Amino acid sequence: MSKTFLAAILIIALTGILAVSASAQNKKRVATDMPTEILRLINEHRAGMQLSPLKMNNIISQAAEKHSHNMATKKIPFGHDGFDERMATLAHQLKNVTGWAENVAYGPTNAKDVVDMWLHSPGHKKNIEGNYNTTGIAIEKGADGQPYYTQIFIYKN
């Protein structure tokens, strides 16, 4: 075989390996970027209602992550257990907090489906369209493979 032919085969093989590696990275990124995608979809909805966009906050996301983890691991039942304590802690940490709300969900496996589910629920939709400016979002998978979502909404002066 010629050196040119072997070089072409090597280039094709390396291209295939890089494509597989990029595909795996994209799948990983989709999972880790889901809170960002949820925020994008919610802010698109808010823009359509002439509402200001929400900004992601790491402290709020950590509180959402803890709540999602506790639901996913069955430490607490699915729902809003500990909501008042979560909000009191966040108000103390963030200062100048004058409003808060929380959406939870489980089951949907992508951002669009969870946002659609919330938008078709009057209480969740009210939170999405509420007078808030800051948010935190987290998703944790349970042992059953179900994702548990928490989004906390905060109005901070």
Side-chain angles (χ1 to χ4, degrees):
M1 288 188 210
S2 74
K3 288 182 182 179
T4 304
F5 180 72
L6 289 174
I9 290 174
L10 181 60
I11 289 170
I12 291 168
L14 287 174
T15 303
I17 290 169
L18 291 174
V20 168
S21 176
S23 175
Q25 286 177 348
N26 285 340
K27 285 181 183 175
K28 184 177 181 183
R29 189 177 317 122
V30 168
T32 59
D33 286 350
M34 196 180 307
T36 302
E37 180 65 6
I38 290 170
L39 180 61
R40 184 188 69 75
L41 293 167
I42 285 176
N43 279 338
E44 277 182 9
H45 176 80
R46 288 176 63 87
M49 306 290 296
Q50 282 74 50
L51 299 169
S52 61
L54 300 172
K55 293 183 176 103
M56 192 75 83
N57 177 286
N58 287 335
I59 293 170
I60 303 169
S61 290
Q62 289 171 0
E65 183 177 337
K66 182 176 180 183
H67 186 61
S68 287
H69 175 79
N70 287 342
M71 289 187 298
T73 59
K74 309 295 187 211
K75 183 175 180 181
I76 61 170
F78 172 75
H80 300 283
D81 279 17
F83 175 75
D84 292 336
E85 292 83 4
R86 258 189 311 290
M87 296 311 113
T89 300
L90 286 170
H92 177 75
Q93 290 175 318
L94 298 172
K95 311 288 187 237
N96 300 316
V97 171
T98 59
W100 48 82
E102 179 179 77
N103 284 353
V104 296
Y106 75 94
T109 57
N110 63 66
K112 183 181 180 326
D113 288 349
V114 75
V115 171
D116 284 347
M117 186 173 76
W118 281 336
L119 289 173
H120 286 92
S121 163
H124 294 101
K125 184 177 182 192
K126 181 180 176 186
N127 291 342
I128 288 170
E129 295 174 356
N131 185 27
Y132 305 108
N133 57 14
T134 313
T135 193
I137 303 169
I139 303 114
E140 177 92 17
K141 278 194 178 178
D144 57 1
Q146 291 290 319
Y148 289 78
Y149 300 83
T150 302
Q151 179 170 20
I152 298 172
F153 302 86
I154 298 280
Y155 184 82
K156 183 177 172 351
N157 290 325

PDB file of all heavy atoms in Angstrom, residues 132-144:
ATOM      1  N   TYR A 132     -40.513  38.397  39.689  1.00  0.00           N
ATOM      2  CA  TYR A 132     -39.229  37.893  40.187  1.00  0.00           C
ATOM      3  C   TYR A 132     -38.144  38.328  39.225  1.00  0.00           C
ATOM      4  O   TYR A 132     -38.400  38.585  38.044  1.00  0.00           O
ATOM      5  CB  TYR A 132     -39.254  36.363  40.309  1.00  0.00           C
ATOM      6  CG  TYR A 132     -40.393  35.879  41.169  1.00  0.00           C
ATOM      7  CD1 TYR A 132     -41.496  35.236  40.609  1.00  0.00           C
ATOM      8  CD2 TYR A 132     -40.387  36.109  42.539  1.00  0.00           C
ATOM      9  CE1 TYR A 132     -42.560  34.823  41.392  1.00  0.00           C
ATOM     10  CE2 TYR A 132     -41.457  35.696  43.328  1.00  0.00           C
ATOM     11  CZ  TYR A 132     -42.537  35.057  42.750  1.00  0.00           C
ATOM     12  OH  TYR A 132     -43.584  34.660  43.527  1.00  0.00           O
ATOM     13  N   ASN A 133     -36.907  38.400  39.722  1.00  0.00           N
ATOM     14  CA  ASN A 133     -35.797  38.791  38.852  1.00  0.00           C
ATOM     15  C   ASN A 133     -34.602  37.848  38.931  1.00  0.00           C
ATOM     16  O   ASN A 133     -33.652  37.982  38.173  1.00  0.00           O
ATOM     17  CB  ASN A 133     -35.366  40.233  39.128  1.00  0.00           C
ATOM     18  CG  ASN A 133     -34.975  40.474  40.579  1.00  0.00           C
ATOM     19  OD1 ASN A 133     -34.764  39.550  41.354  1.00  0.00           O
ATOM     20  ND2 ASN A 133     -34.894  41.742  40.950  1.00  0.00           N
ATOM     21  N   THR A 134     -34.652  36.899  39.845  1.00  0.00           N
ATOM     22  CA  THR A 134     -33.517  36.004  40.067  1.00  0.00           C
ATOM     23  C   THR A 134     -34.052  34.586  40.247  1.00  0.00           C
ATOM     24  O   THR A 134     -35.151  34.397  40.767  1.00  0.00           O
ATOM     25  CB  THR A 134     -32.745  36.433  41.335  1.00  0.00           C
ATOM     26  OG1 THR A 134     -32.543  37.840  41.298  1.00  0.00           O
ATOM     27  CG2 THR A 134     -31.409  35.750  41.437  1.00  0.00           C
ATOM     28  N   THR A 135     -33.269  33.611  39.819  1.00  0.00           N
ATOM     29  CA  THR A 135     -33.723  32.230  39.915  1.00  0.00           C
ATOM     30  C   THR A 135     -32.551  31.291  40.156  1.00  0.00           C
ATOM     31  O   THR A 135     -31.388  31.651  39.964  1.00  0.00           O
ATOM     32  CB  THR A 135     -34.493  31.824  38.630  1.00  0.00           C
ATOM     33  OG1 THR A 135     -35.191  30.606  38.854  1.00  0.00           O
ATOM     34  CG2 THR A 135     -33.573  31.669  37.432  1.00  0.00           C
ATOM     35  N   GLY A 136     -32.892  30.088  40.535  1.00  0.00           N
ATOM     36  CA  GLY A 136     -31.950  28.984  40.627  1.00  0.00           C
ATOM     37  C   GLY A 136     -32.676  27.730  40.184  1.00  0.00           C
ATOM     38  O   GLY A 136     -33.861  27.557  40.501  1.00  0.00           O
ATOM     39  N   ILE A 137     -31.991  26.896  39.415  1.00  0.00           N
ATOM     40  CA  ILE A 137     -32.619  25.706  38.844  1.00  0.00           C
ATOM     41  C   ILE A 137     -31.685  24.526  39.037  1.00  0.00           C
ATOM     42  O   ILE A 137     -30.474  24.651  38.830  1.00  0.00           O
ATOM     43  CB  ILE A 137     -32.895  25.899  37.335  1.00  0.00           C
ATOM     44  CG1 ILE A 137     -33.760  27.135  37.099  1.00  0.00           C
ATOM     45  CG2 ILE A 137     -33.533  24.645  36.731  1.00  0.00           C
ATOM     46  CD1 ILE A 137     -33.861  27.563  35.646  1.00  0.00           C
ATOM     47  N   ALA A 138     -32.255  23.367  39.397  1.00  0.00           N
ATOM     48  CA  ALA A 138     -31.443  22.161  39.545  1.00  0.00           C
ATOM     49  C   ALA A 138     -32.258  20.934  39.179  1.00  0.00           C
ATOM     50  O   ALA A 138     -33.485  20.920  39.308  1.00  0.00           O
ATOM     51  CB  ALA A 138     -30.931  22.033  40.979  1.00  0.00           C
ATOM     52  N   ILE A 139     -31.540  19.926  38.712  1.00  0.00           N
ATOM     53  CA  ILE A 139     -32.143  18.642  38.354  1.00  0.00           C
ATOM     54  C   ILE A 139     -31.283  17.549  38.970  1.00  0.00           C
ATOM     55  O   ILE A 139     -30.059  17.593  38.878  1.00  0.00           O
ATOM     56  CB  ILE A 139     -32.196  18.427  36.827  1.00  0.00           C
ATOM     57  CG1 ILE A 139     -32.949  19.570  36.153  1.00  0.00           C
ATOM     58  CG2 ILE A 139     -32.845  17.096  36.489  1.00  0.00           C
ATOM     59  CD1 ILE A 139     -32.085  20.394  35.273  1.00  0.00           C
ATOM     60  N   GLU A 140     -31.939  16.589  39.593  1.00  0.00           N
ATOM     61  CA  GLU A 140     -31.227  15.437  40.175  1.00  0.00           C
ATOM     62  C   GLU A 140     -31.991  14.181  39.795  1.00  0.00           C
ATOM     63  O   GLU A 140     -33.210  14.120  39.947  1.00  0.00           O
ATOM     64  CB  GLU A 140     -31.181  15.593  41.694  1.00  0.00           C
ATOM     65  CG  GLU A 140     -30.538  14.447  42.419  1.00  0.00           C
ATOM     66  CD  GLU A 140     -29.053  14.640  42.660  1.00  0.00           C
ATOM     67  OE1 GLU A 140     -28.568  15.768  42.565  1.00  0.00           O
ATOM     68  OE2 GLU A 140     -28.396  13.634  42.971  1.00  0.00           O
ATOM     69  N   LYS A 141     -31.265  13.177  39.303  1.00  0.00           N
ATOM     70  CA  LYS A 141     -31.913  11.909  38.969  1.00  0.00           C
ATOM     71  C   LYS A 141     -31.975  11.007  40.187  1.00  0.00           C
ATOM     72  O   LYS A 141     -31.010  10.875  40.927  1.00  0.00           O
ATOM     73  CB  LYS A 141     -31.147  11.188  37.857  1.00  0.00           C
ATOM     74  CG  LYS A 141     -31.495  11.696  36.484  1.00  0.00           C
ATOM     75  CD  LYS A 141     -31.001  10.772  35.413  1.00  0.00           C
ATOM     76  CE  LYS A 141     -31.405  11.296  34.065  1.00  0.00           C
ATOM     77  NZ  LYS A 141     -30.908  10.475  32.990  1.00  0.00           N
ATOM     78  N   GLY A 142     -33.124  10.397  40.352  1.00  0.00           N
ATOM     79  CA  GLY A 142     -33.305   9.450  41.432  1.00  0.00           C
ATOM     80  C   GLY A 142     -32.804   8.070  41.038  1.00  0.00           C
ATOM     81  O   GLY A 142     -32.424   7.828  39.889  1.00  0.00           O
ATOM     82  N   ALA A 143     -32.819   7.147  41.986  1.00  0.00           N
ATOM     83  CA  ALA A 143     -32.391   5.768  41.723  1.00  0.00           C
ATOM     84  C   ALA A 143     -33.273   5.124  40.662  1.00  0.00           C
ATOM     85  O   ALA A 143     -32.828   4.220  39.948  1.00  0.00           O
ATOM     86  CB  ALA A 143     -32.430   4.953  43.015  1.00  0.00           C
ATOM     87  N   ASP A 144     -34.507   5.611  40.551  1.00  0.00           N
ATOM     88  CA  ASP A 144     -35.432   5.083  39.549  1.00  0.00           C
ATOM     89  C   ASP A 144     -35.193   5.679  38.163  1.00  0.00           C
ATOM     90  O   ASP A 144     -35.899   5.373  37.216  1.00  0.00           O
ATOM     91  CB  ASP A 144     -36.879   5.345  39.980  1.00  0.00           C
ATOM     92  CG  ASP A 144     -37.178   6.826  40.210  1.00  0.00           C
ATOM     93  OD1 ASP A 144     -36.273   7.677  40.024  1.00  0.00           O
ATOM     94  OD2 ASP A 144     -38.325   7.138  40.579  1.00  0.00           O
TER      95      ASP A 144
END
